[in-house]
Amino acid sequence: WDGEYYRQNTEDVNRYLYQYGAGCLSDQVLGQVLAHVNHLGYILPGEHVKSAVASVYKYNFKHSFSEFQCTQRVYALNDETGLVLCTWPKSEEPHLPFIYSDEVWAGVGYQVAAHLIYEGYREEGLEIVRGVRSRYDGYRRNPYCEVECGNHYVRSMASYMLLTALSGFSCDMSENRISFAPRYSEEDFRAFFCTGKAWGVLRQTMGADGVRRQWVEILEGEELKLELEEGKTDE
């Protein structure tokens, strides 16, 4: 921990091909967002995590690639926006940085976007998502094939975390209990949900009376119990 983000401690950053040293790595706290998805809480100090993922957005998200030089595979160019895998804002780039550092992977973009949303940086997360989808808008590239190491690369399945992050969905199948707390469009929210036992639609509205109303529509599967947050005015 360097006071802003997590870095790699290594005696010689140029000794091996895959080192990054003092660089800001986009998936440096990947394990933490997986912990959030599984409702395990913080496995690292919360203040560090929030700062680290904010630093990834600050240093690695590019608003334009018109002057960005990438000698690797080019997945973003010209006026497009996207998240590069690593930058060196506090030191010189190693002579042999890890070979994918300048690339823009949709899957890592989705992962970081979801994590930003979990940490309260919703607009920053959505900006990364808009960057991905604008690159694959059906005109510039195939909207159904987000390319990384090959066509239809599986890392883009990280986009499913956006659903859980924005809906605040949680489930405990040992007790057939689910809950959700939207982080987007709280006044009129609607989203898909799926568990191992059922799937359907979540809905929330917030009336002028300040009462939050939640519904779960099960389209197929077993009956589930909706758990409301304590301390909230609900129906």
Side-chain angles (χ1 to χ4, degrees):
W1 175 249
D2 76 350
E4 189 176 17
Y5 58 80
Y6 290 98
R7 55 168 291 173
Q8 178 196 35
N9 285 331
T10 179
E11 293 182 359
D12 184 0
V13 72
N14 293 307
R15 184 176 181 183
Y16 300 111
L17 189 59
Y18 285 92
Q19 308 304 300
Y20 62 94
C24 182
L25 188 68
S26 282
D27 57 2
Q28 61 183 270
V29 281
L30 169 60
Q32 182 61 71
V33 71
L34 296 179
H36 285 332
V37 170
N38 290 284
H39 312 288
L40 299 177
Y42 283 97
I43 57 177
L44 293 167
E47 296 81 3
H48 290 187
V49 172
K50 291 179 185 295
S51 177
V53 74
S55 296
V56 170
Y57 172 82
K58 175 182 178 181
Y59 295 123
N60 296 6
F61 184 72
K62 304 297 181 184
H63 296 274
S64 171
F65 284 85
S66 60
E67 298 182 4
F68 185 81
Q69 297 180 359
C70 176
T71 59
Q72 300 142 11
R73 297 170 297 186
V74 177
Y75 299 128
L77 72 165
N78 300 333
D79 62 340
E80 296 174 334
T81 64
L83 191 78
V84 299
L85 297 189
C86 193
T87 60
W88 285 264
K90 301 179 182 182
S91 68
E92 291 186 2
E93 184 174 320
H95 296 306
L96 295 173
F98 79 95
I99 58 177
Y100 307 120
S101 58
D102 290 339
E103 293 187 357
V104 179
W105 293 352
V108 173
Y110 286 135
Q111 165 225 310
V112 172
H115 198 173
L116 283 163
I117 293 167
Y118 274 115
E119 301 297 344
Y121 302 107
R122 186 186 69 182
E123 293 309 312
E124 291 84 349
L126 292 177
E127 187 176 12
I128 293 176
V129 175
R130 286 191 288 267
V132 177
R133 296 312 308 150
S134 66
R135 298 197 306 271
Y136 293 91
D137 62 356
Y139 178 78
R140 298 175 185 238
R141 298 173 185 82
N142 185 345
Y144 306 108
C145 180
E146 294 168 342
V147 181
E148 288 189 19
C149 189
N151 291 331
H152 307 288
Y153 203 65
V154 72
R155 197 184 343 256
S156 284
M157 292 292 286
S159 59
Y160 196 88
M161 288 195 293
L162 295 166
L163 180 62
T164 60
L166 288 169
S167 66
F169 180 71
S170 175
C171 65
D172 182 345
M173 290 298 92
S174 66
E175 299 184 9
N176 273 5
R177 186 177 68 243
I178 65 172
S179 65
F180 66 103
R183 297 179 175 91
Y184 183 78
S185 187
E186 294 90 343
E187 296 79 14
D188 187 8
F189 179 84
R190 184 180 176 90
F192 166 81
F193 81 91
C194 183
T195 73
K197 298 181 178 181
W199 63 274
V201 177
L202 308 169
R203 188 182 177 199
Q204 173 178 294
T205 62
M206 189 83 72
D209 54 5
V211 175
R212 184 183 65 169
R213 297 172 174 85
Q214 291 187 338
W215 295 267
V216 173
E217 181 183 1
I218 298 175
L219 299 178
E220 188 169 334
E222 300 181 13
E223 182 177 346
L224 300 169
K225 179 172 64 175
L226 176 63
E227 184 177 75
L228 299 173
E229 292 181 271
E230 294 183 6
K232 298 286 187 178
T233 302
D234 297 289
E235 286 187 355

